């Protein structure tokens, strides 16, 4: 049986008919677990086809893993859908696309046929819709984890951050910080704070691993969320996609990822981030209480703030790529390098504030002080 015959049989079972059109959808083409993502149409029906694989060639950090606890375990998303775990947040207003079929192919790949959700992508949402989503996320995570499964990720943050090493040697390279894009668009003092964050990385990871736990999506950002329904307003439910990293996380970790990622890829302006983050955090905390969580709010705040460590790698990456063409997520089009460096620089500076808050808050909650103390002394961008 050829690949065409295999696809034709799957499409016929899911959609009926015999004439199909395929539209490639934006995804991370570097990830070794994803063979491709397409919208498939037949007559008036459509579905999304996502093929999971472990045989695709990929760079080291994006290579598919056979370890069910690894952050990039190749078959995790199929398990999440097949088990029904993807719908565990549905009572609180966040669901996953419906699984139409999961097909084990003869070559070892898994074809996930998913509902083609018609709602508006969160990449175009207003701040109010993002805040409403934060409330739903809080309610879902406040209800408690649904129980462990042997294929859910563990220590995601440590593995993910540790796999991102490109450009780290440039953090102490004066010439790298004098590149025009960096020099002209990174705020004063950012170098000192980002070097400090890198120096404290192990401390931050230890804090995150010892906070209250929650079942977490771990790749929750606007490109993976949309409104449930084409005409939904600010109060409409959400649909979350791409559950490939799902597993154990700290309470607040998903929110700590979602907020800066709303700006890093230019979905919202960085100037709105402080007010947006404050409103979303208040909504998330309110949702936690509604969901039944009764713990100390300070631990939630620490989880959000300490999650800044996830972006320890991003400053080094931007130093390494300051002379390259700047592409959007998926690599389909170019974006303004000046705008990207300006917005990311401001967002990294905001995250430096989160990191500082975490260093102050953690010892009050019984954690040791961060090793950097007051190091390094203020010295402009150094």
């Amino acid at each position: 049986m050829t690949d065409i015959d295999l696809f034709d049989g799957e499409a016929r079972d899911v959609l009926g008919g015999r004439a199909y059109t395929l539209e490639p959808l934006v995804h991370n083409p570097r990830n070794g677990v994803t063979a491709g993502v397409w919208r498939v149409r037949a007559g008036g029906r459509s579905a999304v086809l996502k093929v999971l694989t472990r045989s695709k060639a990929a760079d080291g950090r994006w290579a598919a893993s056979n370890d069910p606890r690894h952050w990039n375990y190749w078959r995790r998303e199929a398990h999440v859908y097949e088990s029904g775990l993807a719908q565990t947040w549905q009572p609180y207003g966040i669901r996953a696309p419906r699984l139409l079929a999961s097909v084990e192919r003869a070559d070892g790949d898994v074809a996930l046929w998913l509902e083609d959700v018609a709602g508006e992508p969160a990449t175009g949402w207003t701040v109010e819709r993002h805040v409403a989503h934060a409330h739903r996320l809080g309610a879902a995570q406040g209800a408690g984890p649904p129980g462990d499964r042997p294929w859910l990720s563990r220590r995601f943050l440590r593995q993910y951050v540790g796999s991102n090493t490109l450009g780290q040697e440039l953090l102490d390279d004066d010439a790298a910080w004098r590149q025009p894009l960096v020099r002209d668009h990174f705020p004063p003092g950012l170098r000192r704070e980002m070097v400090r964050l890198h120096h404290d990385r192990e401390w931050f990871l230890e804090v995150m691993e010892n906070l209250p736990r929650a079942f977490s999506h771990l790749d929750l950002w606007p490109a993976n969320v949309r409104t449930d329904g084409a005409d939904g307003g600010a109060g409409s439910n959400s649909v979350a996609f791409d559950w490939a990293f799902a597993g154990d996380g700290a309470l607040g970790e998903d929110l700590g990822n979602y907020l800066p990622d709303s700006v890093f890829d230019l979905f919202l302006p960085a100037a709105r981030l402080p007010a947006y983050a404050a409103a979303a955090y208040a909504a998330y905390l309110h949702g936690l209480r509604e969901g039944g969580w009764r713990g100390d709010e300070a631990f939630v705040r620490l989880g959000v703030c300490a999650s800044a460590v996830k972006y320890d790698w991003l400053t080094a990456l931007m130093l390494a790529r300051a002379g390259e063409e700047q592409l959007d997520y998926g690599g389909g089009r170019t974006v303004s390098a000046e705008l990207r460096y300006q917005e990311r620089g401001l967002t990294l500076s905001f995250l430096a504030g989160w990191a500082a808050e975490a260093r102050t808050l953690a010892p009050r909650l019984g954690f040791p002080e961060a090793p950097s103390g007051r190091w390094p002394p203020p010295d402009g961008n150094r």
Side-chain angles (χ1 to χ4, degrees):
M1 178 178 289
T2 68
D3 289 343
I4 294 176
D5 292 334
L6 187 67
F7 163 79
D8 186 69
E10 293 173 10
R12 186 167 56 250
D13 289 343
V14 173
L15 296 173
R18 291 186 177 276
Y20 311 105
T21 61
L22 277 78
E23 173 193 350
L25 298 180
V26 174
H27 63 285
N28 179 2
R30 295 172 294 168
N31 197 331
V33 307
T34 309
V37 187
W38 302 267
R39 176 174 289 112
V40 185
R41 291 189 173 93
R45 304 181 66 188
S46 66
V48 171
L49 169 62
K50 183 172 186 178
V51 178
L52 310 181
T53 186
R54 53 184 158 185
S55 60
K56 175 181 171 182
D59 292 339
R61 67 173 296 258
W62 287 112
S65 174
N66 289 315
D67 177 359
R69 294 299 197 182
H70 189 274
W71 71 274
N72 211 30
Y73 171 50
W74 79 276
R75 206 189 182 284
R76 178 175 296 114
E77 189 164 21
H79 286 307
V80 173
Y81 276 105
E82 292 163 354
S83 68
L85 194 61
Q87 305 297 356
T88 195
W89 291 346
Q90 187 165 359
Y92 311 97
I94 302 175
R95 70 176 183 91
R98 288 182 297 114
L99 177 65
L100 306 178
S102 178
V103 181
E104 301 275 351
R105 291 182 168 176
D107 60 3
D109 291 352
V110 177
L112 294 178
W113 289 84
L114 302 168
E115 171 192 5
D116 186 12
V117 180
E120 179 187 0
T123 55
W125 282 3
T126 63
V127 166
E128 290 72 24
R129 284 190 177 185
H130 290 298
V131 170
H133 176 70
H135 176 265
R136 291 189 286 272
L137 177 63
Q141 293 186 325
D148 191 22
R149 312 292 173 93
W151 33 259
L152 288 175
S153 65
R154 287 279 179 182
R155 307 184 89 189
F156 164 82
L157 193 59
R158 178 180 296 277
Q159 294 179 24
Y160 179 85
V161 172
S163 71
N164 286 275
T165 59
L166 181 63
Q168 286 186 1
E169 73 283 356
L170 299 178
L171 290 172
D172 292 318
D173 186 331
D174 291 343
W177 288 90
R178 287 196 297 266
Q179 295 176 96
L181 275 176
V182 177
R183 180 195 63 214
D184 297 342
H185 299 291
F186 276 12
L190 184 61
R191 177 178 180 178
R192 179 175 66 89
E193 292 305 321
M194 290 300 101
V195 170
R196 185 180 183 186
L197 180 62
H198 185 68
H199 182 274
D200 286 346
R201 184 170 73 177
E202 179 60 29
W203 179 84
F204 277 98
L205 292 172
E206 289 282 346
V207 168
M208 291 296 289
E209 290 170 357
N210 286 282
L211 286 170
R213 315 316 293 164
F215 170 63
S216 303
H217 184 283
L218 297 173
D219 196 17
L220 202 63
W221 65 303
N224 280 340
V225 180
R226 64 175 55 215
T227 303
D228 189 3
D231 57 353
S236 298
N237 290 344
S238 308
V239 182
F241 302 82
D242 199 354
W243 294 80
F245 301 160
D248 173 70
L251 205 61
E253 186 172 342
D254 272 339
L255 184 67
N257 184 85
Y258 190 90
L259 296 175
D261 268 5
S262 301
V263 178
F264 279 140
D265 283 275
L266 306 177
F267 305 136
L268 288 174
R272 303 194 69 179
L273 182 55
Y276 161 45
Y281 175 73
Y284 177 76
L285 187 62
H286 184 59
L288 282 176
R289 298 304 192 197
E290 285 186 351
W293 193 76
R294 296 293 180 262
D296 185 345
E297 179 261 337
F299 286 99
V300 182
R301 184 63 187 172
L302 181 57
V304 171
C305 291
S307 70
V309 72
K310 183 180 180 184
Y311 300 99
D312 166 53
W313 60 273
L314 184 57
T315 306
L317 180 74
M318 296 187 72
L319 293 175
R321 294 185 172 169
E324 300 177 8
E325 181 182 35
Q326 300 296 308
L327 300 175
D328 67 351
Y329 175 74
R333 63 183 179 90
T334 59
V335 297
S336 165
E338 290 76 14
L339 180 61
R340 167 169 281 177
Y341 274 71
Q342 170 190 294
E343 295 295 279
R344 287 190 172 182
L346 290 170
T347 306
L348 288 169
S349 186
F350 177 84
L351 291 177
W354 269 4
E357 186 175 344
R359 292 187 189 96
T360 299
L361 183 57
R364 299 175 185 171
L365 296 173
F367 292 93
E369 291 189 1
S372 66
R374 298 183 180 276
W375 177 92
D379 181 21
N381 249 2
R382 298 294 298 274

